Amino acid sequence: MMPVLPIQSIATTEECLHLGRLIVLTGPSGVGKGTLMRSLLERHPELYYSVSVTTRSPRPGEIDGKNYYFISRSKFEQLVAEGEFLEWAEFAGNYYGTPREAVLNQIHFGKLVVLEIELEGARQIRTSFPSAFSIFILPPSFDELEKRIRSRAQDSEEAIARRLLRAQEEIQAADEFDIQIVNDDFETALNDIETVLFK
Ligand SMILES: Nc1nc2c(ncn2[C@@H]2O[C@H](COP(=O)(O)OP(=O)(O)O)[C@@H](O)[C@H]2O)c(=O)[nH]1
Ligand SMILES: Nc1ncnc2c1ncn2[C@@H]1O[C@H](COP(=O)(O)OP(=O)(O)O)[C@@H](O)[C@H]1O
């Protein structure tokens, strides 16, 4: 485990970014962000993936502390009030947030930190960390996106409908980000991300 620095010892976010870099991976639900992230971490274990906090219920097989920190809405609201999140947002009826201190510590130690988050949170990061690099993952088509969400078969019909509605809005915001990568052929998309991060 990395030693945890008190937050006051990290002077400014810009100072942090001289030591490390912050990467934001965003895009609609079902586009393949999680799958790309997992492969990226397997190939590059030196990356630091920020585990988010959520009020969503765990899906079968998800592990607390690995996939997410699963907490109640009241606890989440308390953490928001205490300023514990670098960014947070409500998505499809649940809260999601990035733990502030862990991420700032890792950047301070010179790590390349990757956040996999939805649109509103990604916008917040662009404002608070102008030097963060942001990647928007696009589906090859909307039909393919729907197919992927359904093939995952882990969400209720209502949750799927909410994700699809939100996906339409999110895709329209793709141009706001530094680079857009289409996740059609998986290996090609993964290589494109690697090129941006490491070459
Ligand atoms: N703003 C924000 N979004 C997050 C965070 N963690 C995950 N998300 C996003 O929340 C959305 C829903 O995540 P999830 O319920 O795991 O569903 P899935 O991405 O469709 O498998 C996705 O777009 C995630 O990228 C976070 O810490 N902050
Ligand atoms: N390039 C791809 N081609 C076909 N299916 C894909 C591709 N990338 C991901 N998938 C599949 O799409 C589904 C959604 O991927 P997931 O990583 O859970 O998306 P997200 O994290 O963006 O919600 C999964 O079943 C995954 O295996």
Side-chain angles (χ1 to χ4, degrees):
M1 282 286 284
M2 283 280 186
V4 175
L5 286 182
I7 204 87
Q8 304 90 290
S9 67
I10 301 170
T12 65
T13 49
E14 282 306 309
E15 200 169 294
C16 286
L17 287 170
H18 292 145
L19 296 162
R21 273 167 74 207
L22 186 60
I23 308 292
V24 177
L25 197 65
T26 192
S29 175
V31 76
K33 301 184 298 298
T35 316
L36 286 164
M37 205 52 241
R38 272 192 297 281
S39 295
L40 203 60
L41 289 170
E42 270 167 31
R43 292 208 211 174
H44 305 278
E46 74 277 14
L47 290 174
Y48 176 82
Y49 169 68
S50 165
V51 177
S52 295
V53 179
T54 187
T55 61
R56 162 164 86 59
S57 306
R59 293 174 177 150
E62 283 187 329
I63 298 165
D64 188 41
K66 181 167 182 273
N67 303 93
Y68 283 105
Y69 296 103
F70 297 98
I71 66 169
S72 66
R73 285 183 80 87
S74 59
K75 178 73 186 163
F76 194 101
E77 282 160 5
Q78 183 194 329
L79 294 176
V80 169
E82 291 169 358
E84 293 289 337
F85 293 118
L86 206 54
E87 62 71 36
W88 68 274
E90 189 161 14
F91 179 92
N94 294 297
Y95 291 137
Y96 296 82
T98 300
R100 174 186 293 277
E101 192 166 337
V103 167
L104 293 185
N105 277 336
Q106 294 299 323
I107 294 173
H108 184 80
F109 284 117
K111 284 272 190 180
L112 190 55
V113 175
V114 190
L115 310 182
E116 189 243 283
I117 60 178
E118 55 68 64
L119 177 64
E120 288 309 324
R123 283 175 167 156
Q124 290 171 43
I125 294 291
R126 277 204 345 254
T127 306
S128 52
F129 286 82
S131 22
F133 191 82
S134 56
I135 303 174
F136 194 98
I137 308 293
L138 281 163
S141 68
F142 200 77
D143 283 354
E144 173 63 19
L145 183 69
E146 178 162 3
K147 235 167 57 190
R148 287 184 194 171
I149 293 178
R150 290 191 180 283
S151 73
R152 198 164 56 187
Q154 283 180 330
D155 299 303
S156 66
E157 201 50 46
E158 193 208 345
I160 289 172
R162 280 201 266 187
R163 280 173 158 69
L164 286 172
L165 198 65
R166 180 89 179 118
Q168 283 174 331
E169 296 167 20
E170 294 210 326
I171 288 169
Q172 283 169 17
D175 288 352
E176 293 175 20
F177 295 88
D178 292 318
I179 191 168
Q180 296 76 35
I181 291 176
V182 178
N183 182 21
D184 188 356
D185 175 65
F186 186 81
E187 276 302 314
T188 306
L190 190 57
N191 287 334
D192 289 349
I193 296 175
E194 285 180 311
T195 302
V196 168
L197 297 190
F198 302 108
K199 285 162 198 155

